[in-house]
């Protein structure tokens, strides 16, 4: 089988989780990933133990009438031809798309050659690639209800989003996790994650409230993102040390970070939300305004309307985020309610359910 897509961790983590579930159920399965050259899947997928082929596919430029889109379309057609050659050589029984640039040419080519296709949509608002593929696929695995407005109802399966396996297997004790970050056991702790590259407004919210943090009895684990790390360390050097603030550009042991946290501040990407729900973590969601069709806001509202997360607009975060977080983390009842309601929205076997659907399509082929 072919699995295609990527561009962000939000696409790659589910793709690898699906592949792992397939291999667990069917060790004999042969899996080939197809990604976009220069995107993060070209490193992350081989690191997970799978072979990947890269396509020269890119996203459309804005405005759409830009002359540069002639080159984008030429790359799309070249990629589609490359996929056809891959299919003739690899002979897949099924193709899976998880969103991202590479999914479109891969599943278009697979469909045209009679290979049954399945797509997995992580968000509550479907992406352009998956919407364009809806008529060509056999099954659409979704994480939210109400997706009939984007996809044919008879193709939809509500599966939830697969998450990183190490989070499910997490056995890390909270005190042990706190010590690993140089923090004190027994104190309330807030984890701030803006994604691997970071989130400017979230980071600025922290920098503008250092005195509030310093004078509180709360501890913070702050993932700044690699993009902002140097700038933030320069700013922190101008002020007295904030001993209850652990600062790092990237957290590799997210299982420890989640174990340490009483409250999580996060962007509202689909994978992050799925992890928070599965772990029953109280959270404050600050959707990124810089994503297609503002889908992170829709993701966040899907939780906040069920009192499963606190929703703060990106534009309001500089003033409200840290004061709100300090109030919430010290409110036992609020934490309990948010965590319990988040857990109710979790899907516990998403990767296995999707793997079963993929296998069913493969054996029918």
């Amino acid at each position: 089988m072919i699995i295609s897509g990527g561009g962000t961790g939000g696409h790659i983590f589910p793709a690898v989780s699906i592949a792992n579930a397939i291999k667990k159920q069917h060790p004999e399965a042969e899996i080939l990933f197809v990604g976009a050259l220069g995107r993060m899947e070209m490193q992350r997928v081989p690191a997970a133990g799978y072979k990947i082929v890269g396509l020269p596919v890119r996203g459309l430029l804005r405005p759409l009438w830009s002359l540069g889109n002639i080159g984008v379309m030429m790359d799309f057609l070249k990629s589609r031809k490359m996929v056809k050659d891959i299919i003739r050589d690899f002979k897949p029984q099924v193709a899976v798309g998880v969103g991202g640039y590479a999914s479109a040419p891969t599943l278009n080519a697979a469909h045209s050659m009679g290979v049954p296709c399945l797509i997995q949509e992580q968000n509550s608002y479907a992406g352009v690639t998956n919407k364009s593929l809806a008529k060509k696929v056999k099954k659409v695995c979704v994480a939210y209800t109400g997706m009939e407005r984007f996809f044919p109802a008879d193709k939809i399966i509500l599966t939830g989003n697969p998450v990183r396996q190490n989070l499910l297997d997490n056995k890390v004790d909270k005190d042990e996790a706190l010590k690993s970050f140089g923090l004190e056991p027994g104190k309330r702790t807030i984890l701030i994650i803006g994604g691997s590259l970071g989130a400017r407004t979230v980071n600025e919210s922290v920098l503008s409230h250092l005195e509030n943090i310093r004078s509180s009895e709360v501890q913070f684990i702050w993932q700044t993102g690699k993009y902002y790390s140097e700038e933030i360390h320069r700013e922190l050097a101008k002020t007295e040390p904030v001993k209850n603030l652990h600062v790092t550009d990237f957290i590799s042991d997210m299982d420890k970070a989640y174990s340490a946290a009483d409250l999580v501040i996060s962007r509202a990407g689909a994978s992050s939300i799925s992890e928070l729900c599965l772990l029953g973590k109280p959270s404050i969601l600050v959707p990124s305004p810089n994503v297609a069709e503002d889908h992170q806001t829709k993701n966040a509202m899907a939780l906040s309307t069920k009192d499963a997360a606190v929703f703060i607009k990106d534009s309001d975060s500089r003033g409200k985020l840290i004061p709100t977080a300090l109030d919430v983390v010290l409110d036992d009842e609020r934490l309990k309610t948010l965590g319990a309601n988040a857990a109710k929205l979790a899907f516990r076997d998403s990767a296995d359910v999707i793997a079963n659907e993929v296998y069913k399509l493969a054996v029918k082929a």
Side-chain angles (χ1 to χ4, degrees):
M1 54 199 69
I2 282 176
I3 300 178
S4 182
T8 67
H11 292 312
I12 297 165
F13 295 142
V16 170
S17 294
I18 293 167
N20 289 343
I22 290 167
K23 290 295 283 185
K24 185 178 177 182
Q25 294 175 14
H26 305 282
E28 75 285 3
E30 291 183 46
I31 300 173
L32 176 66
F33 278 76
V34 178
L37 290 170
R39 307 293 287 186
M40 63 192 293
E41 59 264 27
M42 299 308 294
Q43 284 77 45
R44 295 286 178 89
V45 169
Y50 295 99
K51 184 180 177 184
I52 187 167
V53 178
L55 305 177
V57 65
R58 297 178 282 149
L60 288 167
L61 304 173
R62 298 290 188 271
L64 291 176
W65 44 261
S66 168
L67 286 175
N69 280 328
I70 296 172
V72 172
M73 289 309 299
M74 294 297 289
D75 283 342
F76 177 88
L77 294 173
K78 181 181 178 182
S79 296
R80 195 170 182 272
K81 182 181 182 301
M82 287 173 66
V83 175
K84 286 189 172 185
D85 291 339
I86 291 167
I87 289 172
R88 289 188 192 101
D89 179 56
F90 188 63
K91 299 180 175 62
Q93 292 163 281
V94 62
V96 178
V98 295
Y101 299 146
S103 280
T106 301
L107 269 69
N108 268 290
H111 171 73
S112 72
M113 296 177 75
V115 178
C117 300
L118 174 149
I119 53 176
Q120 197 255 331
E121 174 56 58
Q122 295 98 25
N123 295 293
S124 60
Y125 194 93
V128 173
T129 298
N130 279 348
K131 281 191 287 187
S132 71
L133 293 167
K135 292 181 180 177
K136 299 177 180 179
V137 303
K138 301 283 188 185
K139 296 290 179 183
V140 182
C141 296
V142 301
Y144 295 89
T145 56
M147 299 300 284
E148 295 83 4
R149 59 203 167 118
F150 305 113
F151 305 117
D154 61 336
K155 295 183 179 182
I156 293 175
I157 306 168
L158 186 61
T159 62
N161 285 323
V163 301
R164 289 174 275 193
Q165 190 63 40
N166 66 324
L167 298 179
L168 300 177
D169 299 335
N170 186 8
K171 302 287 192 300
V172 181
D173 173 75
K174 183 179 180 180
D175 286 352
E176 179 189 329
L178 285 166
K179 287 176 184 175
S180 74
F181 290 101
L183 299 175
E184 290 183 45
K187 281 194 172 184
R188 291 292 165 94
T189 303
I190 296 173
L191 169 65
I192 304 171
I193 44 175
S196 57
L197 295 178
R200 178 174 288 281
T201 46
V202 172
N203 288 338
E204 289 174 351
S205 303
V206 179
L207 288 173
S208 62
H209 288 88
L210 289 177
E211 190 50 50
N212 302 65
I213 293 169
R214 187 185 284 112
S215 61
S216 76
E217 289 298 311
V218 177
Q219 303 178 126
F220 287 75
I221 300 169
W222 181 18
Q223 178 182 278
T224 64
K226 293 183 178 180
Y227 187 80
Y228 300 104
S229 179
E230 285 186 25
E231 174 189 345
I232 285 166
H233 281 288
R234 281 197 301 271
E235 290 299 314
L236 290 174
K238 297 175 185 176
T239 185
E240 62 179 284
V242 186
K243 294 178 181 178
N244 54 334
L245 179 64
H246 174 87
V247 186
T248 180
D249 64 340
F250 181 72
I251 300 171
S252 55
D253 294 325
M254 279 304 298
D255 50 345
K256 290 182 181 177
Y258 280 131
S259 290
D262 296 288
L263 176 69
V264 180
I265 294 172
S266 175
R267 286 305 203 191
S271 288
S272 297
I273 285 180
S274 295
E275 291 175 357
L276 292 167
C277 289
L278 196 65
L279 298 171
K281 282 290 173 184
S283 65
I284 297 177
L285 300 175
V286 186
S288 170
N290 307 313
V291 294
E293 290 134 340
D294 198 25
H295 68 251
Q296 285 203 10
T297 293
K298 298 171 178 75
N299 291 348
M301 290 180 71
L303 267 69
S304 63
T305 54
K306 296 180 175 68
D307 203 21
V310 176
F311 167 36
I312 294 180
K313 287 184 180 178
D314 186 81
S315 56
D316 295 336
S317 64
R318 288 178 183 86
K320 290 175 63 175
L321 181 57
I322 297 303
T324 301
L326 287 169
D327 286 342
V328 172
V329 80
L330 296 173
D331 186 336
D332 288 347
E333 281 304 309
R334 191 82 183 102
L335 288 177
K336 187 176 178 182
T337 298
L338 290 169
N341 288 340
K344 290 175 187 174
L345 302 177
F347 291 85
R348 304 207 166 268
D349 302 303
S350 299
D352 288 329
V353 174
I354 295 169
N356 282 331
E357 294 300 326
V358 173
Y359 181 73
K360 284 192 274 185
L361 286 181
V363 296
K364 277 184 187 175

